[in-house]
Amino acid sequence: GENVEQHPSTLSVQEGDSAVIKCTYSDSASNYFPWYKQELGKRPQLIIDIRSNVGEKKDQRIAVTLNKTAKHFSLHITETQPEDSAVYFCAFNFGTGNQFYFGTGTSLTVIP
Amino acid sequence: EAGVAQSPRYKIIEKRQSVAFWCNPISGHATLYWYQQILGQGPKLLIQFQNNGVVDDSQLPKDRFSAERLKGVDSTLKIQPAKLEDSAVYLCASSLVEGSQDTQYFGPGTRLTVL
């Protein structure tokens, strides 16, 4: 399968601090990079995505940055809240089409 | 808008038994995916359908797993016979258009335990 690295695997932050999660991919043809949030026992839910024609996208407290040259993309959560605690997965498509790979996940804990 | 539906939600079987999972995607979604999520790992794509045709099944263990989407709507995933390592959550997802460049919506999953 395609190689994807996601770091860190666990992350604890104080409420109000920022959290950053990074993913590295290997296929230079990949052009779609979503991030999913999965709470315990629940389904993954899309929180933000970015396509290869832009370098950054922001939605309120969540942002994603993409560095196509270095083949990595990052999730940034600012002003973290306890309800942000969950496992976050990066994902990307292989080539420009149909195979879709997920990272290994980051367990984020926001301490009140 | 109704979401992706899956059943059953939980299933416990013994190894070497057979099991089937059902998925109903969001109405109008042409693409359907089955993923396997082992505890502590990210979802792994097993098979992708575009309408009733298979687009990709390269990671499906075809000696024991099979899937179909006969009328291009509902889909079933079957394991026969099951092994201990098949214990996982099986997630179904759907997207509106062809390919991975469209948002995938996940169902609640079926948690399979093989004893």
Side-chain angles (χ1 to χ4, degrees):
Chain A
E2 186 61 22
N3 186 35
V4 53
E5 296 182 8
Q6 183 173 343
H7 298 285
S9 57
T10 59
L11 180 60
S12 292
V13 299
Q14 290 292 135
E15 182 177 358
D17 287 350
S18 296
V20 180
I21 304 169
K22 180 178 175 179
C23 272
T24 304
Y25 62 99
S26 55
D27 183 9
S28 58
S30 297
N31 60 358
Y32 177 59
F33 308 89
W35 284 91
Y36 284 84
K37 175 183 180 182
Q38 188 174 31
E39 296 177 51
L40 188 62
K42 296 189 176 181
R43 72 192 77 187
Q45 292 199 308
L46 179 74
I47 55 171
I48 196 167
D49 58 10
I50 192 168
R51 299 181 193 277
S52 58
N53 57 344
V54 297
E56 183 174 359
K57 182 177 178 181
K58 193 172 182 180
D59 182 3
Q60 299 182 343
R61 297 187 297 108
I62 296 172
V64 56
T65 58
L66 172 64
N67 184 326
K68 287 215 73 179
T69 303
K71 295 183 195 164
H72 64 72
F73 56 112
S74 298
L75 176 70
H76 305 255
I77 306 174
T78 59
E79 300 172 30
T80 53
Q81 301 168 2
E83 51 265 38
D84 294 331
S85 296
V87 178
Y88 291 82
F89 292 99
C90 63
F92 64 94
N93 61 331
F94 179 52
T96 57
N98 302 324
Q99 284 189 306
F100 205 42
Y101 291 94
F102 280 79
T104 49
T106 296
S107 178
L108 173 65
T109 302
V110 179
I111 303 166
Chain B
E1 174 181 89
V4 177
Q6 288 187 249
S7 68
R9 293 295 311 278
Y10 306 91
K11 190 73 177 178
I12 300 174
I13 61 173
E14 295 189 347
K15 60 182 179 183
R16 291 188 289 274
Q17 286 187 322
S18 301
V19 65
F21 313 129
W22 173 83
C23 172
N24 182 240
I26 293 173
S27 178
H29 280 198
T31 309
L32 185 147
Y33 312 79
W34 281 103
Y35 289 88
Q36 179 193 60
Q37 187 174 23
I38 293 172
L39 187 65
Q41 299 182 16
K44 172 186 147 185
L45 180 66
L46 293 176
I47 189 167
Q48 177 183 345
F49 291 95
Q50 178 68 25
N51 296 309
N52 62 346
V54 175
V55 174
D56 186 287
D57 63 357
S58 57
Q59 298 190 92
L60 186 73
K62 298 180 187 63
D63 58 334
R64 298 184 300 107
F65 286 64
S66 64
E68 59 184 13
R69 194 185 184 199
L70 292 177
K71 297 183 180 179
V73 181
D74 294 6
S75 177
T76 56
L77 176 70
K78 297 179 182 177
I79 307 175
Q80 180 180 8
K83 292 185 176 181
L84 296 176
E85 58 261 35
D86 298 333
S87 294
V89 175
Y90 290 84
L91 293 162
C92 179
S94 70
S95 62
L96 182 61
V97 297
E98 181 178 358
S100 298
Q101 300 175 41
D102 187 46
T103 301
Q104 294 188 20
Y105 296 89
F106 284 86
T110 297
R111 183 177 297 276
L112 173 67
T113 302
V114 181
L115 303 176

